[in-house]
Amino acid sequence: MSTEPNKNSPTHKLPTHPPREPTPEIQPSTTNKPSLNLLTSTTCPTTSPPKSPDPRNRDTPFFKSAQWTADGTTLLTLTSHPSIQTYVLPSTLLTPPHPPLTPTSTLPLPEPTSTFSPSPYFSLSHPSTQYLLTATTDHPIHLTPIFSPASPPLASFFLIKPETESYLPITSLVWPTPGTHFITGTTNLLALFDISRPDSLCSTPLLKIPTIPSTRHISKGNGIGMRGTVSALGLQPTDAGEGILAAGTWTRWVGLYDIYRSGSVIANFSVKPSADHEAGIKGKGVVQTIWSPCGRYLVVNERGSKGLLVYDVRGTHKLLGWLSGRDGTTNQRLGVDVFPDQNGNGFEVWAGTKNGTVVMYEGVGMNEGETKPTWEWGVNDGESAVGATAMHSSGSVLATCSGSWKVADDDSSDEGSSDDSDSDSEDDSSSGKKPAFVVEETSLKVWSIDASNGAAAQEFEPLEGDVEEKE
């Protein structure tokens, strides 16, 4: 598959920054507090909303998620209108004065989506690597140039239901290293695609793995496998890029698959007993499965939950512990990120909350049972949820995005769900009157993290117990 270089794409790289020193002790230290500097920020640009009966599309757009490219020079954000906006960080980001963020390109999407993935070999200095996979409802999977959104897709990939010849909704997608294949999840099915064999070259996926034996039987698998929409995919980090695939569903199941070797399931289990009874953090469906940097532990992130689950997959796949004090009791997707501890004391977990704060856990994987937050700080004044926390590979820069819908003229209402297309919840507007939604705050912010206190820095506050709610 040949591609034309993009002569207009930026070519500079983010300067290297010395990695911050991790806290040597697992317990929070009160003598060496890390500090937080806001480098730059922006609000969600207003774009022309698509023609849709959904009243939320007529309101102010907000950022739903954000992620770094492989080389750490660019941020990709998903907005609620929907569109994917690209921000190339300036080369002077770490040197004051810090310029504001401006989008380099905007890719409008035909339908709402909650999943996209940039190429795992993205490099700002090589235009032939600057591509993006997008999956929207009732459309093929498209391979699109990031900095040329007006160009037609370079390739299309199809996942079609044979009985109705309709597109299956892609609810999760992962494009792992080395980038030769990508994996998608839909209702009761996983699919493996070869990136070099699109559309006419290969009309079907390279491999299909049903998560239940049969969808036509009245019992839908008869209790075997995991039934439901595959809403989260995470691939275990390995040198060869062929680790275990962790798939999560809206029905609160997690399945482990050896998709590259045997192409079959290893194990599947329900997270409901662990979340509801053992940990007591509840949950309404898996939105993210993310592996620890060492590949030993699996962090399960559910919507409507008060914490995160941590599993040790090397043994019997039983619950190792849980991370409490993270208020995610909303239907909106609130993403988390992980970072290795250089002293070998487990790993760190960074998570946003619905109250506009970010909590960080140290020493995850070192202890069984409950782990409380080590640090907490406010991204906003509690006006909106923090939908994503994305740690830069250097460990010294963190990106956060916030924003959520709220029902107008109702101060007691919770944030609206930004993933109604993936949700099994019922529509509350059955009375015929469409509710009005507003966005009180939305922002994309880039922070620098330093182990030493600075005069202009906002300090983390160590937590002795649970996270205190903001007034």
Side-chain angles (χ1 to χ4, degrees):
M1 181 174 58
S2 62
T3 57
E4 293 294 332
N6 187 356
K7 299 180 180 179
N8 298 324
S9 61
T11 57
H12 66 269
K13 292 186 177 181
L14 185 68
T16 58
H17 191 283
R20 60 184 174 87
E21 292 296 331
T23 306
E25 300 293 334
I26 298 178
Q27 299 298 326
S29 173
T30 58
T31 59
N32 187 21
K33 302 176 183 178
S35 59
L36 191 72
N37 286 295
L38 178 60
L39 298 177
T40 182
S41 64
T42 186
T43 58
C44 189
T46 302
T47 58
S48 300
K51 296 179 179 180
S52 171
D54 192 342
R56 291 172 293 191
N57 288 322
R58 295 194 293 268
D59 296 332
T60 304
F62 66 87
F63 292 109
K64 294 172 63 177
S65 65
Q67 58 178 291
W68 293 95
T69 54
D71 62 349
T73 61
T74 308
L75 276 171
L76 299 176
T77 62
L78 178 64
T79 68
S80 60
H81 255 180
S83 64
I84 296 175
Q85 295 179 350
T86 305
Y87 295 84
V88 177
L89 274 66
S91 58
T92 58
L93 176 68
L94 301 176
T95 305
H98 306 296
L101 287 174
T102 55
T104 306
S105 65
T106 299
L107 173 64
L109 300 176
E111 296 290 341
T113 183
S114 57
T115 181
F116 69 95
S117 180
S119 61
Y121 45 81
F122 179 96
S123 175
L124 200 59
S125 58
H126 295 85
S128 60
T129 66
Q130 299 164 0
Y131 301 109
L132 178 75
L133 281 174
T134 61
T136 56
T137 306
D138 296 328
H139 288 78
I141 304 168
H142 286 153
L143 180 66
T144 307
I146 293 179
F147 296 108
S148 300
S151 303
L154 297 177
S156 300
F157 304 86
F158 301 92
L159 188 59
I160 298 175
K161 187 176 182 179
E163 294 82 359
T164 60
E165 296 184 352
S166 60
Y167 292 110
L168 290 172
I170 306 300
T171 51
S172 54
L173 185 151
V174 59
W175 190 2
T177 304
T180 56
H181 300 80
F182 67 91
I183 308 165
T184 63
T186 184
T187 304
N188 302 323
L189 182 67
L190 299 172
L192 175 68
F193 290 86
D194 188 340
I195 197 70
S196 64
R197 296 180 61 84
D199 41 63
S200 60
L201 297 179
C202 184
S203 59
T204 59
L206 189 65
L207 176 66
K208 289 184 178 181
I209 303 179
T211 59
I212 57 175
S214 175
T215 59
R216 302 183 66 181
H217 193 273
I218 190 173
S219 60
K220 300 293 184 182
N222 198 23
I224 302 175
M226 63 173 192
R227 174 191 174 189
T229 300
V230 181
S231 53
L233 291 175
L235 194 66
Q236 184 184 34
T238 60
D239 294 336
E242 298 180 352
I244 298 173
L245 178 71
T249 68
W250 286 130
T251 54
R252 309 186 68 187
W253 278 76
V254 171
L256 304 179
Y257 293 84
D258 186 3
I259 197 167
Y260 289 105
R261 297 177 180 85
S262 63
S264 60
V265 62
I266 299 174
N268 50 57
F269 52 93
S270 174
V271 300
K272 182 177 180 179
S274 299
D276 292 358
H277 306 298
E278 189 171 353
I281 59 176
K282 307 296 183 180
K284 296 181 180 179
V286 180
V287 297
Q288 187 180 11
T289 54
I290 183 169
W291 293 84
S292 64
C294 63
R296 297 176 181 177
Y297 308 103
L298 178 66
V299 179
V300 178
N301 179 18
E302 285 196 275
R303 62 178 179 177
S305 177
K306 298 180 181 178
L308 305 167
L309 300 175
V310 182
Y311 289 88
D312 188 345
V313 299
R314 297 172 296 173
T316 58
H317 316 299
K318 291 184 178 181
L319 182 68
L320 174 69
W322 61 93
L323 311 181
S324 63
R326 184 253 190 168
D327 190 358
T329 53
T330 173
N331 285 336
Q332 183 174 343
R333 287 177 181 257
L334 304 181
V336 305
D337 203 358
V338 298
F339 190 76
D341 190 318
Q342 295 182 357
N343 290 333
N345 295 329
F347 61 99
E348 300 173 358
V349 175
W350 300 74
T353 72
K354 77 167 189 177
N355 299 320
T357 64
V358 170
V359 292
M360 188 269 278
Y361 302 85
E362 287 183 335
V364 179
M366 300 297 292
N367 301 308
E368 296 183 359
E370 181 183 12
T371 299
K372 296 183 179 181
T374 309
W375 313 101
E376 179 195 27
W377 86 93
V379 174
N380 54 58
D381 294 331
E383 299 171 331
S384 62
V386 180
T389 55
M391 177 65 72
H392 192 268
S393 58
S394 67
S396 302
V397 178
L398 179 74
T400 62
C401 73
S402 59
S404 55
W405 281 307
K406 289 186 178 181
V407 179
D409 301 327
D410 188 358
D411 296 336
S412 61
S413 63
D414 292 335
E415 290 82 352
S417 170
S418 64
D419 293 293
D420 288 341
S421 60
D422 300 332
S423 174
D424 296 330
S425 60
E426 297 180 356
D427 188 5
D428 295 333
S429 58
S430 57
S431 61
K433 182 180 179 181
K434 295 180 179 179
F437 291 85
V438 296
V439 178
E440 295 183 353
E441 188 273 345
T442 179
S443 62
L444 173 67
K445 297 181 178 180
V446 180
W447 314 77
S448 66
I449 304 173
D450 194 351
S452 60
N453 294 326
Q458 175 186 350
E459 295 181 359
F460 290 85
E461 291 298 331
L463 300 177
E464 299 296 335
D466 295 335
V467 177
E468 296 181 358
E469 294 185 359
K470 297 180 70 65
E471 297 181 355

